[in-house]
Amino acid sequence: MKKIFSIVAISVLLSACGSGERVSKEVFEEVNEAMEVKKLSEAEIIDAAMVWGDSISMEAQQQLVNQLQQAISEKGIPGAIEFCNVQALSILEDVGKPYGVEIRRASNRYRNPADQPTEMERRYLETYEYDVENGNPLAPNIQKINEGEELLYTKAIVIPGGLCLNCHGEPGKEINEEALKVLEELYPEDQAKGHKVGDLRGMWSIKIPKKEVVKRM
Ligand code: HEC
């Protein structure tokens, strides 16, 4: 089983790399052309991507919180945990689609293993952790990735209030028995409990293709 998986994984990786290179050259030329026609500088594109990151992360946050609150009022906390388990990632996908961006949340203390940080994301998380611990202001970051074809926007997610602690706080205290049981069932490796208000919970990580930004400038 493991072997089959790795063969499939390798062939997927290989085909992704192969087509990636071709697309990459086309995209590169397309972006260059559009930049010339529109007389855009690299700095202007990065500034615009920063604005995108700020507003898209706000929109995503709002969507999640709205739908979370609705799920809590309809199904209670344990039911809302199941709702997050099924819906959180697809809600983010839906928010990102119209912009052509990929939105995720990454955390060093992840609940969903899909939110485990990449090497680069880990570095930003460590910086945000340091800033939170030292009371420094938290600023979002933007970084060129994939040979400058894409921009990675990151922004810290701090626990703003008690609502979050129903599922991310102290078990037996803020997380009740019933909710704990559901969490243990769905996330046996959960690391996202035991938080306090003001803690770093994770960060937004939004991959923004330069061509999407240029297209709309
Ligand atoms: C009803 C329970 C519940 C509440 C309340 C809740 N969360 Fe979560 N949270 C979850 C679940 C479940 C996941 C995993 C979702 C998944 O499987 O994709 C999660 C995942 C996350 C993640 C992604 C990183 C990870 O650990 O996988 C962040 C960031 C996060 N929550 C922040 C918050 C913040 C901030 C609040 C308060 C505004 C909050 N949560 C309130 C249940 C909750």
Side-chain angles (χ1 to χ4, degrees), residues 24-211:
S24 180
K25 192 157 174 281
E26 279 164 24
V27 168
F28 185 72
E29 281 164 8
E30 201 184 305
V31 171
N32 268 353
E33 225 178 86
M35 278 174 76
E36 271 170 35
V37 172
K38 297 186 180 177
K39 297 199 183 346
L40 297 172
S41 70
E42 180 87 8
E44 282 172 315
I45 296 170
I46 291 176
D47 284 352
M50 191 63 139
V51 174
W52 273 42
D54 285 343
S55 66
I56 293 171
S57 59
M58 249 157 64
E59 188 181 332
Q61 174 78 31
Q62 221 155 42
Q63 278 289 332
L64 282 180
V65 170
N66 285 351
Q67 300 208 31
L68 176 69
Q69 275 170 334
Q70 195 181 338
I72 292 176
S73 69
E74 283 169 8
K75 310 174 219 275
I77 299 286
I81 294 172
E82 278 161 359
F83 170 83
C84 288
N85 174 254
V86 177
Q87 295 295 338
L89 298 183
S90 71
I91 291 171
L92 297 184
E93 207 184 310
D94 288 348
V95 174
K97 219 178 265 168
Y99 304 95
V101 305
E102 234 175 81
I103 310 175
R104 59 186 235 108
R105 297 177 298 174
S107 176
N108 279 336
R109 288 175 59 181
Y110 50 88
R111 170 159 288 165
N112 186 335
D115 299 331
Q116 189 167 355
T118 63
E119 201 51 52
M120 183 183 270
E121 286 171 335
R122 197 182 303 278
R123 271 183 273 145
Y124 284 109
L125 281 165
E126 277 165 12
T127 310
Y128 295 139
E129 190 83 66
Y130 177 88
D131 287 339
V132 167
E133 275 168 17
N134 292 281
N136 299 340
L138 286 165
N141 283 289
I142 201 147
Q143 171 77 41
K144 284 192 239 176
I145 53 167
N146 294 341
E147 287 155 29
E149 239 175 59
E150 292 179 316
L151 299 161
L152 183 72
Y153 170 94
T154 60
K155 186 169 87 178
I157 301 173
V158 171
I159 299 210
L163 168 74
C164 316
L165 301 184
N166 285 302
C167 303
H168 294 293
E170 208 62 62
K173 201 171 142 215
E174 288 123 346
I175 304 179
N176 69 30
E177 281 300 312
E178 212 187 335
L180 190 61
K181 221 175 105 213
V182 180
L183 283 174
E184 280 168 353
E185 258 164 40
L186 293 173
Y187 306 100
E189 317 262 316
D190 188 15
Q191 302 178 48
K193 296 190 287 282
H195 276 294
K196 291 190 260 328
V197 170
D199 275 6
L200 184 75
R201 181 63 271 279
M203 68 176 196
W204 291 105
S205 175
I206 307 181
K207 223 191 265 178
I208 307 175
K210 234 197 231 168
K211 73 173 169 87

